[in-house]
Amino acid sequence: MLNLVVNGNRSSIDVDPNMPLLWVLREHLGLTGTKYGCGMAQCGACTVHLDGEAVRSCVTPVSRATGKNVTTIEGLSADLSHPLQRAWIEIEVPQCGYCQSGQLMAAAVLLRENPHPSDAEIDDGMAGNICRCGTYPRIRRAIHRAAALMAEGKSR
Amino acid sequence: MSAATAVSRREFLKTGAAATGSLVIALHFSTLAPSEAALAAPASEFVPNAFVKIAADGAVTVIIGKSEMGQGVYTSLPMILAEELDADWSRVRCEFAPVDPAYNHTVFGIQMTGGSTSVWSSFEQFRKAGAVARSMLVQAAADRWGVPPVACRTENGFVIHDASGRRTSYGELAAKAAEDKPPAQVALKDPKDFKLIGKSVHRLDTPAKCNGAATYSIDVSRPGMLVAVVARPPVFGGKAKNFDAAAAKSIRGVKDVVEIPRGIAVLADGYWAARRGRDALKIDWDEGPLAGYSTEKQRAEYAALAKTAGAVARKEGDVAAALAGAVKTIEAEYEMPYLAHATMEPMNCVAEVRADSCEVWAGSQLQTLDRVFAAQAAGLKPEQVQLHTMFLGGGFGRRAVPDCHMVLEAVQVSRAARAPVKLIWTREDDMRGGYYRPSFFHRFAGGLDEAGNIIAWKQTVVGQSIMAGTPFEPMMVKEGVDGTSVEGAADAPYLIPNLYVDLHSPKLPVPVLWWRSVGHSHTAFAVESFLDELAYAGGKDPFELRRALLAKAPRHLHVLELAAEKAGWGSPLPSGRGRGIAVHESFESFVAYVAEVSVTPQGELTIHRMVCAVDCGPVVNPDTIEAQIEGAIIFGLTAALRGEITLANGRVVQSNFHDYPMLRIYECPQQIEVHIVPSTEKQGGVGEPGVPCAAPAVANAIFAATGKRIRRLPIRANDLRSS
């Protein structure tokens, strides 16, 4: 049995320890917001946080997640109140939406480490996430907007 | 309809629904009958037609038969209906329709989403659906107050009688309105009175796409469901001779292995086991007629074919004589590869076949056909199949497949395994699974007179037909010409006196399909690039030459001039930079781009700026149009700079995003500007028309910056290096 803590909830699961975390999240825990895109850490659609670090859950054996806090898009905020979610909605980032969970989870780490990123720093931090619909210009704008929302929140 | 007046509401609705069985639906009120699902509505709910429900609490649900793949119909179609309904937009939600003739495409006659047609083909239908509902709510209020309906007005979800100061919400009127019959006629608003249409409105699907709640078919789960992964032939047209499933079945979690016509399916309790099981199958393949085939072989075959006469797609004047008499002739060959749609959500489908019914969950763009094929595979009638349209994790045409293989495979596996099945294509399966934009070869000869004017244009196009072998062939292929192979070339708008376009459509087992912008995805690159070549050869400015040749094409001309003006065409640029221009009509919309680029001596390309002008007729949601154009530019540039599916030894070489790369955020144009032309002309589409001009605008800018002419896509760094 493997013990996992996902979005603050504990669970014990009987699976092959080599199974990628992605499939445990999606198929065993019903957390389908994290997406399968490539299975080889190329597209970033499966990005989740392990103790706050962005990882590609499609190539992360579930055994690596035991003893760590796993955060998925469902745990970013339940009510869309995270500054990134607010900015994403304000700027109308998503089109098909399939990659956006991964984009948001990657952006959350970027902003935590660098609260005021430049365009170049955004490009660098988001380089691992593909959007086939081409929402990149809006992702840039929305990350700047989220940075501003976070700064406003702190100055209040 | 008059026979229905004496019967109850529900019977009336059923009578109306039965009357809509015809294949092609015209814009009259019998088309507004409710679907079966709408008939199941609670009595307190007001369901005036197939497209809208109003609940007692005032919630307005708009039902759309179109698929949401990112293009925004989940918002734009409700906007159209809510406009005429005078609904409170904050109370409007949207849901996907079941498969029902009520939702058939008003032009194509089946339930489907494609061809950038959703808004214009639904515009009148959704306006009328909203106006009928509004009229019935007004009547209900007028009856209640004992005043004439004309004394009432509507605003933001209320009926208001100004003379008495009374107002009642739509929710309060819903039950009463539900007792009445729809009016025979309704008046529509004067477009100048539109409050919603034409304004940027927040998308209804965005919140669910920011917290993981949006459900795609790959997210669907059913009790007792198994996950299937299919081994398909490594070469298109091949088939399994025999297979050994012993090793696969020994993997923990693998439950079954079944053969279906398109391959061998491994079923397991989850994706990971199914995938490992599939990898453990031992299969002896008959590779079929494409064994040993390669892209190099195809290029040579197509180049040879292009030197022979094909089926004539357009003929003006006498091109042979004009070329013979030209002061200067230019010849050029352009090549474009196979392209994969590479939707972020790989192909997948959930099917649950039971003895007397079947349910399917799919990101379908072609519901009517998908349901027919599902029924055949399940041994049922179409009415026994319930197809749930889910959000599409990208479409671009890939989820409208005339052979319905995505749904078919899942239903076949579910029936064979006697279990609900989610069939998932791995990314590699998806990339190597075919249904590509065909590879194309264009051979040109152009002739100029002494003044540099174009007097002759000969273009021979070579590439597989998308329509051949599909139910659409009789409609789309005329006298050997598949219109989608030459669209954008055979109907090029330029005033050239001697013009000749012909087509070869070689048959190959590589499955091909429409890919965002279809034929325009290659014709615009070829035509706009070769026109640029002729401009420079004749000593003319590429913008001014286009202006002259478009004198009788006002909408082309307008977007061309607007893009040039906004981009500062002709103004000085920093050293090393160049501008390129392209203009193209597709899906009844008109688009022009000016690209501004620079290239390092090592061949590194930077796209500094893309300026776009678009005329798609009257606009519904401007922000969606901007988003579609931005995305289409990046989609088009991904193909121009990276996209290439090649064959070696009969096999597709590429497999995943490492060798079929997408443009990433740092590779995007540094600046994209979208200028929408205010227009009262006929509405066109917007999902696809942004794609075609991206490649030629950039390629023409590369020529302006470096003198290097790009004639083969994708653009290779080697093509751009100075030394």
Side-chain angles (χ1 to χ4, degrees):
Chain A
M1 292 296 259
L2 292 167
N3 295 313
L4 287 178
V5 180
V6 181
N7 302 330
N9 302 313
R10 291 177 183 282
S11 50
S12 295
I13 300 157
D14 180 21
V15 292
D16 178 346
N18 293 317
M19 185 187 289
L21 174 61
L22 170 66
W23 300 105
V24 175
L25 294 172
R26 289 181 54 81
E27 296 180 342
H28 292 261
L29 301 178
L31 296 170
T32 53
T34 305
K35 301 303 188 200
Y36 166 69
C38 68
M40 57 183 294
Q42 285 288 313
C43 77
C46 67
T47 305
V48 299
H49 300 173
L50 267 195
D51 279 349
E53 295 303 314
V55 299
R56 306 293 185 234
S57 64
C58 72
V59 293
T60 304
V62 62
S63 57
R64 233 192 94 196
T66 58
K68 296 192 167 78
N69 284 305
V70 181
T71 309
T72 68
I73 183 70
E74 291 89 350
L76 188 64
S77 91
D79 58 356
L80 296 164
S81 61
H82 189 285
L84 278 163
Q85 291 168 316
R86 287 160 59 201
W88 245 240
I89 291 168
E90 181 185 322
I91 306 284
E92 289 292 350
V93 174
Q95 288 186 26
C96 90
Y98 193 80
C99 74
Q100 297 297 342
S101 298
Q103 304 280 1
L104 283 158
M105 296 309 280
V109 173
L110 167 70
L111 276 191
R112 194 194 63 223
E113 292 176 351
N114 181 354
H116 297 286
S118 64
D119 273 350
E121 288 165 339
I122 290 172
D123 285 4
D124 202 37
M126 301 301 290
N129 289 73
I130 292 172
C131 173
R132 181 58 161 149
C133 299
T135 64
Y136 302 124
R138 289 177 184 232
I139 288 173
R140 268 189 216 143
R141 278 165 55 199
I143 291 175
H144 285 304
R145 178 68 185 135
L149 288 170
M150 283 166 80
E152 278 173 28
K154 275 178 192 148
S155 64
R156 243 183 250 144
Chain B
M1 301 283 272
S2 59
T5 53
V7 299
S8 75
R9 166 183 168 250
R10 262 148 224 269
E11 277 163 343
F12 162 73
L13 294 178
K14 279 186 182 156
T15 309
T20 65
S22 63
L23 194 63
V24 177
I25 287 189
L27 294 171
H28 52 75
F29 285 117
S30 68
T31 68
L32 295 177
S35 64
E36 287 297 319
L39 294 177
S44 62
E45 209 167 48
F46 172 42
V47 189
N49 51 57
F51 304 101
V52 62
K53 301 185 279 195
I54 300 172
D57 68 355
V60 174
T61 303
V62 178
I63 303 142
I64 63 166
K66 296 287 181 268
S67 314
E68 175 59 65
M69 58 197 90
Q71 86 282 36
V73 288
Y74 196 79
T75 307
S76 50
L77 297 184
M79 283 173 73
I80 297 165
L81 192 145
E83 175 71 62
E84 293 287 350
L85 179 58
D86 275 338
D88 173 357
W89 180 249
S90 72
R91 302 302 312 278
V92 176
R93 55 188 290 273
C94 183
E95 65 184 41
F96 297 120
V99 186
D100 188 292
Y103 304 106
N104 283 355
H105 194 290
T106 58
V107 176
F108 301 143
I110 56 172
Q111 194 168 330
M112 59 158 290
T113 306
S116 295
T117 59
S118 294
V119 164
W120 69 253
S121 72
S122 308
F123 198 69
E124 291 301 308
Q125 186 180 47
F126 274 67
R127 287 182 70 190
K128 285 181 178 175
V132 164
R134 177 189 166 278
S135 159
M136 293 172 75
L137 291 159
V138 167
Q139 184 68 52
D143 289 351
R144 177 178 291 181
W145 295 330
V147 301
V150 290
C152 302
R153 64 183 178 89
T154 52
E155 186 179 299
N156 218 25
F158 282 86
V159 182
I160 299 163
H161 184 244
D162 285 320
S164 63
R166 281 177 291 195
R167 49 191 282 131
T168 306
S169 74
Y170 286 179
E172 290 170 284
L173 292 166
K176 177 152 175 43
E179 292 166 7
D180 290 333
K181 65 183 180 67
Q185 292 182 32
V186 285
L188 298 180
K189 285 185 181 177
D190 185 325
K192 74 174 168 43
D193 298 325
F194 285 164
K195 294 189 179 83
L196 265 178
I197 293 176
K199 307 262 182 333
S200 286
V201 162
H202 278 291
R203 289 175 60 136
L204 298 175
D205 53 346
T206 297
K209 289 175 174 176
C210 293
N211 65 2
T215 310
Y216 305 80
S217 57
I218 203 168
D219 301 327
V220 170
S221 187
R222 301 292 300 162
M225 184 180 82
L226 299 175
V227 175
V229 176
V230 177
R232 299 178 187 81
V235 179
F236 296 119
K239 57 179 187 290
K241 283 194 284 197
N242 52 65
F243 67 97
D244 175 359
K249 285 179 173 171
S250 72
I251 287 170
R252 178 185 170 187
V254 171
K255 303 292 185 192
D256 204 356
V257 176
V258 300
E259 185 166 10
I260 56 172
R262 286 171 48 88
I264 316 292
V266 176
L267 293 107
D269 57 8
Y271 172 86
W272 179 241
R275 166 96 200 233
R276 292 178 62 220
R278 197 271 301 268
D279 293 347
L281 284 174
K282 292 187 182 68
I283 307 172
D284 190 11
W285 298 106
D286 170 359
E287 297 192 3
L290 209 62
Y293 197 67
S294 70
T295 293
E296 291 316 306
K297 190 163 187 297
Q298 181 178 72
R299 291 180 66 198
E301 285 172 359
Y302 280 19
L305 257 183
K307 289 178 179 157
T308 66
V312 179
R314 183 166 179 189
K315 189 171 186 292
E316 311 269 345
D318 184 342
V319 84
L323 281 170
V327 171
K328 200 170 183 180
T329 58
I330 313 283
E331 294 190 355
E333 296 175 335
Y334 283 77
E335 288 181 82
M336 278 79 48
Y338 287 113
L339 293 171
H341 301 71
T343 59
M344 289 307 293
E345 180 194 15
M347 295 302 105
N348 68 88
C349 178
V350 176
E352 184 167 342
V353 179
R354 298 177 287 255
D356 57 354
S357 65
C358 171
E359 275 183 273
V360 173
W361 291 260
S364 173
Q365 288 181 245
L366 198 57
Q367 286 84 350
T368 302
L369 280 185
D370 276 338
R371 189 169 74 148
V372 167
F373 276 75
Q376 284 172 2
L380 299 167
K381 295 177 192 146
E383 307 81 65
Q384 293 173 293
V385 177
Q386 201 182 347
L387 187 148
H388 306 273
T389 299
M390 310 302 292
F391 279 115
L392 278 63
F396 318 121
R398 180 65 180 86
R399 290 181 153 98
V401 276
D403 67 8
C404 301
H405 61 273
M406 186 178 83
V407 167
L408 198 56
E409 285 184 354
V411 174
Q412 287 165 343
V413 174
S414 172
R415 189 181 188 191
R418 298 170 182 275
V421 165
K422 181 192 294 182
L423 193 150
I424 299 178
W425 298 46
T426 68
R427 173 58 60 195
E428 291 78 8
D429 295 344
D430 190 283
M431 200 68 85
R432 291 181 163 161
Y435 301 90
Y436 303 127
R437 195 288 302 273
S439 59
F440 269 90
F441 190 101
H442 292 239
R443 182 179 169 79
F444 287 99
L448 305 176
D449 68 12
E450 62 284 343
N453 298 311
I454 304 173
I455 54 166
W457 174 287
K458 182 171 187 292
Q459 179 175 11
T460 300
V461 180
V462 184
Q464 285 171 260
S465 164
I466 292 166
M467 298 295 174
T470 75
F472 304 103
E473 180 171 358
M475 199 181 359
M476 297 301 298
V477 181
K478 301 284 181 208
E479 293 176 20
V481 177
D482 176 344
T484 69
S485 296
V486 291
E487 59 186 1
D491 52 353
Y494 297 116
L495 297 170
I496 297 171
N498 303 287
L499 214 151
Y500 186 88
V501 180
D502 60 354
L503 171 70
H504 293 277
S505 304
K507 289 197 186 329
L508 280 166
V510 181
V512 292
L513 189 62
W514 30 68
W515 177 99
R516 194 176 186 179
S517 79
V518 199
H520 302 282
S521 68
H522 57 93
T523 58
F525 174 68
V527 168
E528 287 301 294
S529 296
F530 189 62
L531 188 75
D532 224 61
E533 291 202 50
L534 295 181
Y536 283 100
K540 294 185 185 294
D541 176 90
F543 163 60
E544 295 296 345
L545 175 69
R546 283 176 174 82
R547 276 183 81 188
L549 296 179
L550 292 170
K552 290 183 179 166
R555 293 179 79 184
H556 284 87
L557 192 59
H558 190 168
V559 291
L560 180 83
E561 290 178 342
L562 182 62
E565 179 207 322
K566 297 291 182 184
W569 185 268
S571 66
L573 280 170
S575 165
R577 284 203 195 180
R579 281 193 195 100
I581 194 164
V583 60
H584 196 78
E585 177 197 355
S586 59
F587 309 95
E588 301 186 72
S589 287
F590 300 78
V591 171
Y593 289 163
V594 175
E596 198 178 303
V597 310
S598 63
V599 180
T600 67
Q602 293 73 37
E604 271 179 61
L605 170 73
T606 301
I607 302 167
H608 299 279
R609 193 174 170 212
M610 294 288 287
V611 178
C612 168
V614 55
D615 170 6
C616 54
V619 164
V620 175
N621 193 353
D623 188 61
T624 292
I625 292 173
E626 276 189 44
Q628 284 303 297
I629 297 292
E630 290 164 9
I633 286 173
I634 292 164
F635 195 93
L637 292 178
T638 296
L641 302 177
R642 301 283 183 271
E644 183 173 40
I645 291 286
T646 57
L647 301 170
N649 193 26
R651 288 156 169 78
V652 174
V653 173
Q654 293 73 21
S655 62
N656 205 314
F657 292 124
H658 64 291
D659 53 10
Y660 189 83
M662 302 288 111
L663 229 56
R664 291 178 185 266
I665 192 167
Y666 56 88
E667 297 168 307
C668 280
Q670 293 175 340
Q671 198 185 339
I672 296 177
E673 292 171 36
V674 180
H675 302 278
I676 300 170
V677 175
S679 173
T680 54
E681 303 282 340
K682 187 191 173 308
Q683 270 180 327
V686 82
E688 297 170 272
V691 174
C693 281
V698 166
N700 291 341
I702 288 170
F703 182 81
T706 66
K708 292 175 191 298
R709 179 59 65 183
I710 302 298
R711 297 195 186 90
R712 185 180 167 204
L713 296 181
I715 300 167
R716 291 154 173 82
N718 266 343
D719 300 336
L720 302 179
R721 250 171 226 140
S722 308
S723 48

